Amino acid sequence: MPYRCWFECIRGCGRRYSIYDVVYRCQDCGGLLDVQHDLEALRDRSAAAWKQLFEQRAHANEWPYGSGVWGKKEWVCPQLDNSKIVSMYEGHTNCFRAQRLGQQIGVPDLWVKLCGNSHTGSFKDLGMTVLVSVVRHMIDGGKPIRALACASTGDTSAALAAYAAAASIPAVILLPRGKVSTAQLIQPIANGALVMALDTDFDGCMRIVQQLSRDPTIYLANSMNSLRIEGQKTVAIEIAQQFDWEVPDWIVIPAGNLGNVSALGKGFLMMKELGLIDKLPRIACAQAANANPLYQSYLTGFQDYHPVLPQKTLASAIQIGDPVSYERAVKVLRAFDGVVEQASEEELANAAARADRTGLYCCPHTGVALAALSKLRERGQVQASDRVVVISTAHGLKFTAFKVGYHNRTLGGVVSRYANPPLELAADQSLVSDAIDQALGKRARGDGSGRRVQCAG
């Protein structure tokens, strides 16, 4: 049987569309669309055969199967011709064995999935390779698409700009002015996108880009377009594969626009339905307390949902008050016995810094997830014997100003418990030796890290 997929309304009204249609919501009921697969056709291979195929491709370089996404092509976008694929061999990111950090938190079997170890430095690459590849097919087939467009807090814009540039498709980026790190802002600029910084927040940018995409020649590239989710769900498959198809007890994931948790759930559910795994993990969504609509809804058992006006947060990529994928995320959390936790600015900053002290280099959003994990462990919801995987969504190098501010103790409202500024000394060997002796003595006693000195940058 041929493998195939299509768009289908998430609200169960049964309306279907081709993945090559320019459509983002059900035209009958207004619900978001998910990509659905013909599972009966996929069952023509046994679970053991799928595992063998995925393992074989993970160690090969045959186009396009060397990609962590396209190595699962039959589960992602089976009918797309390989010649249309735009890939940078994304995926295959490592799980960091965070044993030292786990012992500090009280979860010795702790792992961090480093999704930021990708071409543009975030997990967004996984979804963008699928979306841009499908659009390339649409354009080659005669669809009059002039440009790809997205609203972004940074990482989506970087991924869209890079993949669009590789495909020679114009990209239009809407960013909230002053709310994106310099490192993130320069990425789409360098890749030649049309970048517009608007006097609003992400939600305001999202409203405008949805209005723009009513023009069928401007194709929407945000995660309300479920082609993105198809690529991002491969994170779940990679995690299972990296643990020899044994499922962790918990996955902890930062939550903003909620496409990522939707994708994670979809990947695990698909593996279970096709027999590759025999249980589901529990999922914990972590939100910044300054932008926490999902957390507020969770407190009501998801009976009530109200968008919030997000306040400024160091975790800028999840500074979102009205997440587009709320409905999808709630379905996943209910299916996975999920929980939602929040973290204050001080909690997330110190959690990221503590993780850095154990060899990681965390973005602030990973700090949100680690702070949430600490709270869940303290309350006993996560047990000491549990295997936990934290999803790190972006590379810490994108957030240098956050790091510098932390170690200079200049982040507003944050007491930097793990600040480690450089010592500025005269070029005198005796002074250097004294400083080493003093610092190592303090470390042995567990004291602070020394006097404050300004970091460069």
Side-chain angles (χ1 to χ4, degrees), residues 166-193:
S168 192
I169 302 171
V172 176
I173 309 294
L174 304 186
L175 299 171
R177 189 168 72 167
K179 298 180 176 68
V180 176
S181 77
T182 301
Q184 290 173 303
L185 175 61
I186 198 60
Q187 287 183 281
I189 290 172
N191 285 132

Side-chain angles (χ1 to χ4, degrees), residues 75-123:
W75 288 31
V76 173
C77 194
Q79 62 261 56
L80 186 66
D81 189 276
N82 286 352
S83 66
K84 307 300 183 185
I85 289 174
V86 183
S87 173
M88 299 172 187
Y89 273 26
E90 50 288 308
H92 293 313
T93 56
N94 58 304
C95 267
F96 180 96
R97 190 186 182 201
Q99 188 174 32
R100 183 179 168 205
L101 179 62
Q103 289 170 342
Q104 294 173 6
I105 294 174
V107 186
D109 198 3
L110 175 63
W111 301 75
V112 180
K113 177 68 169 167
L114 296 175
C115 296
N117 290 0
S118 190
H119 178 70
T120 72
S122 86
F123 75 95

